[in-house]
Amino acid sequence: MNPSIEAVTFDAGGTLIDPWPSVGAVYASVARDFGLDCCPDTITAQFASAWKRRTPFRYTREEWAEVVRHSFHGQGHVSPALFNAIYDRFAEPDTWLIYSDVIPTLQALEKLGVKLAPISNWDNRLRFLLNKLGLATYFQHIVVSSEIDAHKPDPRIFLHTAELLNVPAEKILHVGDTPGEDIAGAHAVNAFACRIRRSGVEQAGDIPRLTEILNVLENPIKLCRRK
């Protein structure tokens, strides 16, 4: 007999939302207000490089400042005022795209009575942002790594969410875009896990759209990864 899924949890960035039109475009737009003429594509590439080297990362303001400085290498000086403006801009809803499959999926799961929560490696801007984007209303809880000092794939953040939702971890399906943080982290607590592939190389078990979760709920053992 297939176990029932009582809750679905989501990664935030790259799963529910994404910077719009790109990290580099946002950085360059803010920088223009400070007299800098920057190349968005160069900033995006340098941000990606800095992001890959961020381990360990606790999502503090100081660590974000270091990422921003690396992103602007060769593009201009990042003054404290410029960094503050960039940091604040990423708390604004018009800086983010909600993927088109997100709200239909959340609405369908809500109708089924499934409990919902994001589990995100983020800072305290996330709650404010999800409220502004109109997504917070779908969630029973919003779990932010910096608030509990446990970042995916740390099992503690998944167990903390299970406790908040009052659902055993083995009856939770976690959906995210990062194998190391999302899939491995969920497996560590014996939860189901499913990787959404927004871009990049397809792997076995990936789903191309969030609406595929509805099929996974019908047969989680067959259609999604488990440890």
Side-chain angles (χ1 to χ4, degrees), residues 4-224:
S4 60
I5 298 295
E6 296 181 8
V8 178
T9 59
F10 302 90
D11 173 50
T15 299
L16 301 177
I17 59 177
D18 210 42
W20 179 256
S22 69
V23 169
V26 176
Y27 281 21
S29 175
V30 178
R32 279 195 293 271
D33 295 336
F34 289 79
L36 296 180
D37 184 15
C38 304
C39 174
D41 291 342
T42 298
I43 292 177
T44 296
Q46 293 182 163
F47 172 85
S49 176
W51 190 246
K52 289 178 182 177
R53 300 196 307 266
R54 71 192 188 281
T55 304
F57 197 79
R58 308 189 76 81
Y59 296 83
T60 66
R61 197 179 184 99
E62 292 74 21
E63 288 170 315
W64 276 120
E66 188 64 21
V67 169
V68 172
R69 283 193 290 271
H70 279 292
S71 301
F72 274 89
H73 179 71
Q75 298 292 299
H77 172 65
V78 180
S79 66
L82 173 55
F83 168 71
N84 289 337
I86 289 172
Y87 190 87
D88 292 343
R89 180 68 64 88
F90 277 89
E92 295 300 323
D94 58 359
T95 304
W96 295 89
L97 167 75
I98 302 174
Y99 290 109
S100 62
D101 54 3
V102 169
I103 291 177
T105 301
L106 296 177
Q107 289 176 336
L109 292 170
E110 188 178 52
K111 287 181 180 178
L112 291 172
V114 177
K115 294 180 179 180
L116 305 173
I119 302 177
S120 184
N121 287 352
W122 211 288
D123 51 67
N124 58 12
R125 291 173 293 176
L126 183 62
R127 291 181 182 277
F128 183 72
L129 178 62
L130 292 179
N131 270 295
K132 280 196 166 186
L133 289 169
L135 295 179
T137 185
Y138 295 102
F139 302 126
Q140 277 70 50
H141 295 280
I142 296 172
V143 181
V144 183
S145 66
S146 63
E147 294 180 352
I148 62 172
D149 196 26
H151 310 278
K152 295 180 297 182
D154 190 328
R156 291 178 297 167
I157 194 169
F158 293 93
L159 293 174
H160 176 74
T161 306
E163 184 176 356
L164 287 175
L165 294 172
N166 195 28
V167 173
E170 59 268 22
K171 292 184 177 293
I172 293 176
L173 167 63
H174 180 70
V175 184
D177 66 321
T178 308
E181 294 180 354
D182 294 301
I183 306 305
H187 283 173
V189 298
N190 205 31
F192 288 99
C194 193
R195 177 179 180 259
I196 184 163
R197 180 179 49 83
R198 297 292 188 188
S199 62
V201 178
E202 181 177 1
Q203 300 177 12
D206 286 354
I207 58 173
R209 290 183 57 78
L210 214 57
T211 48
E212 296 278 331
I213 292 173
L214 302 175
N215 296 327
V216 171
L217 291 183
E218 296 178 1
N219 196 343
I221 288 179
K222 181 179 179 181
L223 296 178
C224 69

